[in-house]
Amino acid sequence: MNYIDTFRRTVRCHPTKAAIVTDGGSTTYEELDERTTRLANALNERVPEGRTATLALTGSTAIETMLASQKRGLGNVQLPFRAAPGALASMLESTAASTVLFDDANAEKAVELLDRTVFEAGIHAGERSIDREDVEDYEAVLANASTEPVEPDPAYEHGVFYTSGTTSTPKAVLFDQEQLWYGSTQVVMEMGLDETDVALVTTPWYHMVTADAWILPHFQAGATLVVQSDFDPDESLRLVQEHDATGMLAVPTQLHALADAQAEAGYDVRTLSYIRTGGSIVTEQLVEKASEHLTEGIYNTYGLTEGGPNLTFAHPSAQDEHAGTIGTESFTWELRVVEAAEPDEDPDPSATVEPGEVGEVIARGPGMSDGYLNHPEASEQAYVDGWLRTGDCAEVDEDGYLYIVGRVDNMIVSGGENVYPEEVEDVLESHEEVEVAVVIGLEDERWGHRVACVVYGSDNVDVEALDRFCKDHDRLANFKRPREYVVSNELLPRTDTGTIERDTVYEEFFGA
């Protein structure tokens, strides 16, 4: 099934129900259906065989373009609005996008892209004046477009997502609507979504987790989306209170901020029954903190762009006996944890590890992508004999629950022993004076690599005390203990999904 068929079903069942609520008001499913049909027809008139690239903050415009592109069957290139113009131009090279649709906040970047790329047209949604012959006004384009049903391209594309690019240039991944239908449907099943739900959108729309694990499943269920274009924890909690929101998506850094804000301000969030999180490691301490201040319905999930919305999920009850777990495989996936291989070597799908051991997660399922656009070597490395190689290492317990330990390409080999930075970071961040820790492997003549770390926390962080804490900790073997400590006075850089930018940390603190 193609996702757009489920959207049409929702329109038939809930035409007058609010689909999207923003600062500018609300849009019903019937209105959203008409607007996206108009946009699809308008795009077909201007670039009948071209994809559309969207450079916009999270909001109605971005969501409408996603759905309009599905109706066309020609993909929407979901551009990260925080990227620089030069990076965006490079990212667009493999996408065959012919039109750029943009908002006020991204007008300068979009104009620069129009000057340096092969876009045939631009469409601007907003109040700013854009004095260019090749740019049209979004609302005028819709007003003059047909409302007749659109004949879709038989490829039934959804669009192009980009990998996070924390250690390399972001790669483009094309998904069709059947692949995203699998992802959206499993989220509806996992969380029991229905038309009574009101979900807050706080994360950037262009990420897979926001699109196919949040926006699309709530539309599929006939729920209402309350959209926050720029995350602010107090504003998020106010919106939950104002709209009686039942659900929220938040990456771990956001979850920390939300719990802290709620502890201080005490908003009425009693309607909040589920929070979906993931994107980086979710610690046992964070689950406890969020459960205390926000809701006990914390769903920890795990996935990657290439795989669709998520490969695993942990029902909130799983944390009682399996604290910190990412759960077990999701409904449409088969997962294995196999003996880890070097990044340039293929893992053996049959070499599964025993309970208590660590290995690399590989996965296969009908919703996974087929490869990277114009990156055949990277595709060959990531897609092995029908399995998607995640690059993440996990431990499996006796009950089959998974716990992410670290990345294959982050692994530090010190004195012949494997050290996963995330494992050491978890211990460091359990110290009362440490808020964030980043562990790095530094070249060492004797040991091959030695473990070093950068910590950010209170003004009372003491390196000697922190080292004693690591020596005495019963979860940290001595060979994993940092041999070098750096205390940062500033927050350490992260992507907008909460993943630490390790290369940036290395260059800033150890690159000289």
Side-chain angles (χ1 to χ4, degrees):
M1 178 177 284
N2 294 314
Y3 179 82
I4 200 63
D5 295 327
T6 71
F7 176 74
R8 293 193 178 103
R9 175 261 175 198
T10 297
V11 174
R12 292 194 301 270
C13 292
H14 310 287
T16 61
K17 190 173 186 296
I20 303 173
V21 177
T22 66
D23 289 342
S26 65
T27 304
T28 67
Y29 275 105
E30 190 172 53
E31 292 167 338
L32 182 60
D33 184 42
E34 180 181 328
R35 288 177 64 83
T36 53
T37 297
R38 287 180 180 273
L39 180 57
N41 280 310
L43 291 171
N44 277 347
E45 289 178 10
R46 287 154 178 80
V47 285
E49 297 181 355
R51 295 180 181 133
T52 301
T54 307
L55 186 60
L57 299 180
T58 306
S60 296
T61 299
I63 294 171
E64 287 175 359
T65 313
M66 277 201 299
L67 293 171
S69 295
Q70 290 202 9
K71 288 183 175 182
R72 297 180 70 210
L74 293 171
N76 179 28
V77 181
Q78 305 195 177
L79 292 174
F81 52 72
R82 294 190 173 106
L88 291 169
S90 177
M91 294 162 70
L92 284 162
E93 289 176 358
S94 63
T95 64
S98 302
T99 312
V100 61
L101 197 152
F102 61 96
D103 61 7
D104 280 347
N106 294 279
E108 286 84 1
K109 288 182 183 179
V111 168
E112 188 168 342
L113 287 176
L114 283 166
D115 289 335
R116 62 194 294 177
T117 61
V118 293
F119 285 131
E120 298 174 28
I123 300 176
H124 166 239
E127 303 299 323
R128 295 180 61 172
S129 175
I130 309 295
D131 188 16
R132 291 178 62 107
E133 292 184 357
D134 57 352
V135 174
E136 298 179 85
D137 177 73
Y138 184 78
E139 292 300 332
V141 165
L142 294 191
N144 295 319
S146 170
T147 59
E148 291 297 314
V150 182
E151 184 66 31
D153 186 282
Y156 277 101
E157 295 176 352
H158 167 84
V160 175
F161 295 85
Y162 289 92
T163 59
S164 61
T166 58
T167 58
S168 63
T169 302
K171 294 183 284 291
V173 188
L174 176 65
F175 279 85
D176 65 32
Q177 293 181 41
E178 184 178 42
Q179 290 165 329
L180 290 199
W181 175 82
Y182 277 108
S184 176
T185 299
Q186 75 175 24
V187 174
V188 174
M189 295 170 68
E190 289 164 1
M191 309 190 73
L193 304 182
D194 62 36
E195 68 269 21
T196 66
D197 282 302
V198 178
L200 183 63
V201 183
T202 65
T203 51
W205 71 279
Y206 52 79
H207 284 304
M208 175 62 74
V209 67
T210 312
D212 197 29
W214 202 246
I215 293 174
L216 297 185
H218 280 92
F219 280 166
Q220 182 172 339
T224 297
L225 292 176
V226 178
V227 181
Q228 182 182 15
S229 62
D230 190 22
F231 175 71
D232 173 83
D234 282 289
E235 176 64 9
S236 299
L237 295 168
R238 187 192 67 78
L239 289 171
V240 170
Q241 178 175 283
E242 178 182 347
H243 297 283
D244 292 334
T246 57
M248 176 189 295
L249 171 68
V251 298
T253 51
Q254 292 177 316
L255 201 52
H256 273 294
L258 288 162
D260 290 340
Q262 176 63 9
E264 182 174 341
Y267 294 89
D268 184 356
V269 295
R270 285 174 292 179
T271 59
L272 193 61
S273 60
Y274 57 93
I275 295 178
R276 186 182 187 90
T277 190
S280 59
I281 292 179
V282 181
T283 64
E284 179 181 351
Q285 293 87 350
L286 177 55
V287 172
E288 292 175 353
K289 180 179 179 181
S291 298
E292 177 184 356
H293 296 294
L294 299 167
T295 176
E296 293 183 355
I298 306 296
Y299 286 79
N300 192 10
T301 65
Y302 162 76
L304 68 165
T305 302
E306 296 90 331
N310 60 286
L311 279 60
T312 75
F313 83 106
H315 188 274
S317 61
Q319 301 299 332
D320 295 339
E321 300 295 330
H322 306 276
T325 183
I326 58 168
T328 55
E329 62 191 19
S330 196
F331 290 98
T332 65
W333 285 95
E334 179 185 357
L335 263 62
R336 294 182 186 175
V337 181
V338 301
E339 294 177 2
E342 293 295 328
D344 58 351
E345 298 177 359
D346 290 346
D348 179 358
S350 66
T352 55
V353 302
E354 296 296 324
E357 295 181 350
V358 172
E360 182 179 355
V361 181
I362 61 173
R364 60 184 177 187
M368 64 187 275
S369 60
D370 300 319
Y372 304 112
L373 289 178
N374 290 356
H375 273 280
E377 292 183 1
S379 296
E380 185 178 350
Q381 189 176 54
Y383 300 77
V384 179
D385 296 330
W387 293 88
L388 174 61
R389 187 176 182 183
T390 69
D392 289 310
C393 291
E395 180 181 340
V396 187
D397 70 14
E398 293 286 347
D399 297 320
Y401 285 84
L402 276 64
Y403 304 79
I404 291 295
V405 174
R407 294 278 304 168
V408 171
D409 49 12
N410 289 341
M411 187 176 70
I412 302 165
V413 181
S414 181
E417 299 284 355
N418 295 342
V419 180
Y420 293 98
E422 294 87 347
E423 184 180 15
V424 184
E425 289 161 1
D426 191 27
V427 169
L428 289 164
E429 289 174 2
S430 68
H431 190 282
E432 61 183 2
E433 304 295 345
V434 175
E435 183 174 334
V436 180
V438 180
V439 170
I440 302 288
L442 303 180
E443 289 188 8
D444 186 277
E445 184 176 349
R446 179 179 180 184
W447 300 103
H449 288 85
R450 67 183 184 277
V451 180
C453 73
V454 181
V455 298
Y456 168 82
S458 74
D459 295 334
N460 298 321
V461 174
D462 179 84
V463 167
E464 291 185 2
L466 192 56
D467 191 46
R468 287 195 301 273
F469 176 81
C470 290
K471 286 180 179 178
D472 296 339
H473 205 287
D474 60 5
R475 284 172 45 207
L476 196 65
N478 188 56
F479 70 86
K480 299 178 181 181
R481 177 173 58 85
R483 265 43 180 189
E484 187 172 336
Y485 297 83
V486 176
V487 178
S488 173
N489 296 320
E490 298 181 355
L491 280 171
L492 301 173
R494 294 180 182 268
T495 67
D496 46 26
T497 57
T499 304
I500 285 288
E501 296 179 356
R502 293 183 184 277
D503 287 355
T504 304
V505 172
Y506 176 86
E507 289 298 325
E508 183 175 345
F509 294 97
F510 304 108

